[in-house]
Amino acid sequence: FKHFISSTLSFNCGMLEEVLERSEVDPVVISALQRAGLTSAEDVLTYSVPELVGLTHLRTASVADLVCSLSLALCPAPNLAMAILSENEGSQLSWGDDEMDTILGRLRGRQLIDLSGESSAGKSQLCMQLCLSVQRKPIFGGLLGKAVYICTEAPFSQKRWNQLADCVGVRYPDLTNMDVGEGVLKTEVNTVPEFWDVVENLLPKVMESRGVRLVIIDSIAALFRTDFTQEDIPSRSSALFFVARELKKLADAFNAVIICINQVSDHVVEESILQRRVIPALGLSWSSCVNARFLVRRVTQRSAHSIQSPQDIIRQVALVTSSYSPSTQANFFVDNDGCHSIGEI
């Protein structure tokens, strides 16, 4: 606590006197502080009222008034909910498909989002499309920024990205003259310490210097499932809270969207053992950290004999939980130029 006060206030003696005089604190109180060697805001606010009474020999009421006046004078101005809402209204990222935007709503800035689903459900396909969308102008649902793609499992699919880039002129004509490959910064990490080094040191610098407005972690579960055993669950929960806090700080500082791709686990219930159900990995600890969660799944099974084209493989992305939108879902398919909504099935 003392370190926090010191790093956030850092007032010298002159500034303390100025604040006290501006707050109309009795000169007798100021003199008592000086005699006690309390020459900075840190000195005063890191002591309790009884401790200050003992140091200054002032009355308890006078010391309590002093602490209150000093706290009010140094406290930062509060952010009103309406002001925060107004700031976020202009920072919404399109899915890259108008119908999906209508059904699911655009992704808001300053948010930490979980995108869960089984392997090959379409999570990475959606995220690659978002990497194109973020580079577009706000009038088209973009943020006119770059993306960072952090791979923790398989390497970034450059072949698939090149395929999307080749079709960008048809799907998004406004990006025709842009080198969209330059708009995606890619890195790979394999362990939690490596990942933390990226979050703590690399990301803040890159986001500030390169205008990054979208960060994708593919995937968060790969790190925290393998680096922690069953006995380490409490430690894993603490680590997840810490990572989520830092990611939210970055999202807020740079008005960015941060998406964590997540895996799923089978959830078996005795009453419905024949009905397969999946739940997002990492448990309630991680669930409580995110602002919104989307669940992606394949509606059409791989074994279906009716598959003739990409349009026949139906996928679904559902908004499961959100702090700002009701639950909903959109069906889509994936082809050479990205993800397309197909409405009801």
Side-chain angles (χ1 to χ4, degrees):
F1 176 74
K2 187 170 183 178
H3 172 71
F4 171 77
I5 292 291
S6 178
S7 61
T8 53
L9 298 182
S10 300
F11 285 100
N12 58 32
C13 177
M15 294 182 68
L16 175 61
E17 290 182 0
E18 181 182 337
V19 171
L20 293 175
E21 290 174 0
R22 190 169 64 245
S23 303
E24 298 183 352
V25 175
D26 191 331
V28 174
V29 174
I30 298 176
S31 299
L33 291 175
Q34 293 173 343
R35 287 195 301 272
L38 303 175
T39 58
S40 69
E42 176 191 355
D43 292 337
V44 176
L45 295 179
T46 52
Y47 286 109
S48 66
V49 171
E51 288 173 329
L52 288 172
V53 170
L55 290 170
T56 61
H57 305 292
L58 294 169
R59 293 184 298 110
T60 300
S62 299
V63 172
D65 289 343
L66 165 68
V67 171
C68 182
S69 299
L70 188 57
S71 299
L72 290 173
L74 301 180
C75 180
N79 286 329
L80 299 179
M82 183 58 71
I84 296 173
L85 179 63
S86 299
E87 288 177 5
N88 288 334
E89 282 181 346
S91 302
Q92 298 186 10
L93 177 60
S94 168
W95 289 91
D97 182 275
D98 292 339
E99 188 65 23
M100 292 179 71
D101 287 344
T102 301
I103 298 172
L104 299 171
R106 293 179 174 178
L107 302 177
R108 298 193 182 189
R110 298 187 171 95
Q111 301 288 311
L112 179 61
I113 296 169
D114 177 280
L115 187 66
S116 300
E118 294 181 277
S119 175
S120 301
K123 305 183 298 295
S124 296
Q125 299 290 339
L126 288 168
C127 287
M128 284 191 175
Q129 182 157 299
L130 288 170
C131 287
L132 292 173
S133 181
V134 74
Q135 299 182 54
R136 306 181 75 191
K137 295 179 180 179
I139 191 174
F140 299 115
L143 300 177
L144 206 60
K146 298 183 186 298
V148 169
Y149 206 107
I150 303 173
C151 299
T152 67
E153 292 185 90
F156 184 81
S157 179
Q158 192 62 48
K159 180 179 179 181
R160 174 55 177 159
W161 176 256
N162 292 339
Q163 192 176 40
L164 290 172
D166 290 340
C167 300
V168 76
V170 177
R171 187 84 189 270
Y172 309 120
D174 53 297
L175 297 180
T176 302
N177 297 323
M178 291 181 59
D179 184 357
V180 292
E182 292 293 321
V184 183
L185 313 174
K186 302 173 283 287
T187 187
E188 294 183 19
V189 297
N190 299 303
T191 65
V192 170
E194 288 180 8
F195 174 67
W196 179 242
D197 183 60
V198 169
V199 171
E200 189 177 33
N201 299 313
L202 179 63
L203 268 183
K205 297 175 183 177
V206 171
M207 293 180 77
E208 182 176 12
S209 63
R210 304 294 293 275
V212 172
R213 302 294 301 279
L214 171 67
V215 176
I216 294 170
I217 301 165
D218 187 1
S219 70
I220 191 75
L223 293 171
F224 287 90
R225 269 183 155 182
T226 56
D227 280 24
F228 292 87
T229 64
Q230 191 67 27
E231 291 73 24
D232 295 330
I233 294 299
S235 298
R236 188 184 75 172
S237 297
S238 298
L240 284 171
F241 288 141
F242 197 69
V243 166
R245 184 186 68 188
E246 295 305 310
L247 290 175
K248 284 183 176 181
K249 283 182 181 178
L250 291 173
D252 185 67
F254 298 101
N255 197 5
V257 178
I258 297 184
I259 299 176
C260 294
I261 293 179
N262 195 3
Q263 300 169 354
V264 294
S265 303
D266 281 312
H267 180 62
V268 180
V269 181
E270 273 189 41
E271 292 77 8
S272 58
I273 195 167
L274 297 179
Q275 294 182 354
R276 186 165 183 264
R277 182 188 170 197
V278 296
I279 57 174
L282 302 181
L284 291 175
S285 298
W286 178 248
S287 299
S288 65
C289 294
V290 299
N291 299 107
R293 163 168 281 162
F294 293 88
L295 185 63
V296 187
R297 69 184 185 96
R298 285 175 65 122
V299 178
T300 307
Q301 300 302 315
R302 295 181 182 86
S303 59
H305 299 293
S306 59
I307 296 176
Q308 302 292 330
S309 68
Q311 289 88 336
D312 294 328
I313 304 177
I314 310 303
R315 308 165 194 264
Q316 186 181 86
V317 53
L319 176 58
V320 181
T321 57
S322 171
S323 58
Y324 52 83
S325 295
S327 298
T328 185
Q329 60 190 37
N331 301 310
F332 69 99
F333 68 89
V334 180
D335 63 8
N336 288 347
D337 61 358
C339 305
H340 307 264
S341 175
I342 55 175
E344 296 295 331
I345 58 172

